[in-house]
Amino acid sequence: MRNAATPSADVTADAAALWLVRREEPQWSKDDDAMLQAWLNQSMAHKAAFWRLEHGWRAADRIVAVGREPAGEVRPRRRLRLPSLSIPGGRLAAIAVAALASVAVIVLTTQQSIRPGDRVAAYRTPTGGNRVLRLADGSRVQMNTATAIRAGTAPDAREVWLDEGEAYFDVAHRPDRKFVVHAGARTITVLGTRFSVRREKDRVTVAVISGRVRVDDAQASASVPKAAIVSAGNVAIIEPRSTLISTTGSDKVAALTAWREQMIVFDDKPLSDIVTDFNRYSNHMIVIEDRELANVRLGGAFKTHDSEAFVKLLRAAYRVRVREDGDAVILYR
C-alpha cells in the first residue's frame, strides 16, 4: 500500500504540467524559477514528470505549423481536468499529449490567481467555428470563430482567460464567487450578467448587454484611469494608453454581438473594416487592392459565412471589379 504522505504519480504529473504552463507566462520571474527548481529538487519523480512533459511540449512546438483542423469541426483543445464544466476533461498531465494530438499550443498570457493544484481547462474553435460551453454554476460561454479560452476554478472565484478571439458571457449570479475574464493586460470583473469580449492583439472591445462590468487595465498610463465601469448598452474599447467608452446605445451593442446569430451587421462602416470581419470566418480571404475603395462606407447585414453574397452586391451595386487569385478574392476599381 502506498504511504498516504507520498504523492501519487497523477498528482505529481498534474503539478509538473502546471509548472510547465506557468513557465511560459510573460510574468515568469527569477523567484518563480527558484520555486520551480526547489520543487524539482524534492525528488527524482518530480524531475522525471517535468522532463517527460517538457519533451512533449517541445515536440508540439516543432509540429504546430503542420496541423490543421477540418473546416467546421469544433473540439476541445488540450483538455484539462475541470469537473465544474459539463464538458468532459482529462488529467492535467494530458496537456502535452493533447498538444501533440491537436497540434495547438496555448500559453498563459496574464498573471493568474489559479495555482498548481487548481483546476484549469482549455478550449478552442477553428476558423468559422462556434460553440457553447456550459459551466456547472449555470453560467454560459459562447465562443466565436478562431477563439481560444481557458477556464479555471478556485475556492472564491471563477476565471476565464480569453487568449484570442471573441466570446459572449451569460454569467450566473453568485455573490460569493466573483467571475473574472482576463484578456491580456485587461481584466473584466462581472458586476452584472451578460456581455461580450473581443480581443484583437492589443485592443480589447467589451460590449455590455445587461448589468455592468468593471474593466481594469494593468497597462494604463498615469493620465488614464486604470479602471472603468461599463453599463448595459455601452461599449468599451481599450487600447494601450487609452480607454474609450461609447454610449451609443443598444443598437451598437446588438451589432457587435450579432455574431451569436451568425450575422455581420454594419452601419456606415469602411469597406476595409467590413472585409476584415468577413475574413475572420473563412480561409478564403477578401483583399482590397484599391485604397480609395477601402474607405467607401457601407451599411447592411449578412451571414458570417456568406461573403460570396456580399461580394456579388459590391459588384452589382457599386461596380466593384472582382478577380480570383488562388484562395483570395481581389476587389478593385
Side-chain angles (χ1 to χ4, degrees):
M1 180 179 296
R2 188 177 69 240
N3 188 315
T6 303
S8 68
D10 285 356
V11 171
T12 299
D14 285 356
L18 198 48
W19 274 118
L20 182 62
V21 175
R22 285 187 58 204
R23 195 179 64 175
E24 301 298 320
E25 294 181 23
Q27 296 86 2
W28 182 262
S29 66
K30 291 182 179 179
D31 290 342
D32 293 324
D33 192 67
M35 291 173 62
L36 170 58
Q37 293 303 319
W39 182 82
L40 290 172
N41 291 335
Q42 287 177 7
S43 72
M44 277 304 300
H46 289 184
K47 292 179 180 178
F50 186 86
W51 291 339
R52 182 167 57 250
L53 291 180
E54 186 180 43
H55 175 77
W57 182 282
R58 288 175 177 171
D61 270 342
R62 287 194 297 271
I63 63 176
V64 67
V66 179
R68 194 173 194 177
E69 209 167 8
E73 182 179 345
V74 181
R75 59 182 179 180
R77 296 290 193 156
R78 297 174 65 198
R79 296 182 295 179
L80 313 180
R81 183 168 59 192
L82 185 58
S84 61
L85 287 176
S86 60
I87 301 170
R91 286 177 34 245
L92 265 173
I95 188 170
V97 176
L100 284 168
S102 64
V103 205
V105 178
I106 303 173
V107 298
L108 303 183
T109 57
T110 61
Q111 187 65 37
Q112 314 182 68
S113 61
I114 299 297
R115 302 169 298 276
D118 288 334
R119 296 164 178 170
V120 180
Y123 299 93
R124 176 183 290 273
T125 56
T127 298
N130 190 302
R131 74 173 299 170
V132 175
L133 302 178
R134 298 185 182 277
L135 308 184
D137 69 340
S139 298
R140 190 167 66 98
V141 182
Q142 184 173 356
M143 302 169 61
N144 198 8
T145 177
T147 295
I149 70 170
R150 288 166 290 118
T153 61
D156 62 345
R158 300 162 290 171
E159 297 185 78
V160 174
W161 289 265
L162 179 62
D163 293 321
E164 62 177 312
E166 185 171 27
Y168 168 85
F169 300 88
D170 189 348
V171 180
H173 184 60
R174 288 289 301 273
D176 59 323
R177 298 182 70 199
K178 64 181 179 180
F179 194 103
V180 179
V181 178
H182 304 275
R186 287 78 182 209
T187 301
I188 299 98
T189 303
V190 174
L191 306 175
T193 51
R194 294 181 295 154
F195 62 100
S196 72
V197 183
R198 178 173 173 177
R199 182 177 177 184
E200 306 165 274
K201 297 183 180 178
D202 289 334
R203 168 187 273 199
V204 174
T205 303
V206 180
V208 180
I209 290 86
S210 68
R212 297 182 303 155
V213 302
R214 188 184 75 237
V215 179
D216 295 277
D217 186 358
Q219 293 181 340
S221 64
S223 60
V224 178
K226 290 185 178 295
I229 301 297
V230 189
S231 302
N234 294 344
V235 176
I237 300 174
I238 306 101
E239 295 182 324
R241 297 178 296 281
S242 70
T243 297
L244 172 66
I245 298 179
S246 170
T247 58
T248 52
S250 58
D251 289 346
K252 175 72 171 178
V253 172
L256 287 173
T257 57
W259 61 267
R260 298 178 54 231
E261 307 299 330
Q262 298 186 32
M263 296 291 295
I264 294 176
V265 178
F266 44 94
D267 181 24
D268 193 32
K269 198 172 184 179
L271 180 58
S272 58
D273 290 352
I274 298 169
V275 164
T276 297
D277 277 345
F278 273 112
N279 285 344
R280 296 173 62 205
Y281 298 89
S282 174
N283 292 317
H284 197 58
M285 297 288 101
I286 303 174
V287 179
I288 305 175
E289 200 171 68
D290 184 288
R291 181 177 298 180
E292 184 179 350
L293 179 61
N295 293 326
V296 171
R297 305 184 79 88
L298 300 171
F302 288 84
K303 286 288 187 181
T304 54
H305 295 80
D306 199 5
S307 59
E308 183 178 351
F310 177 67
V311 170
K312 285 181 179 178
L313 173 68
L314 292 176
R315 176 184 284 169
Y318 296 92
R319 297 185 179 180
V320 174
R321 295 189 176 185
V322 180
R323 74 171 186 270
E324 300 278 342
D325 186 0
D327 286 335
V329 175
I330 312 298
L331 308 180
Y332 63 103
R333 290 284 188 179

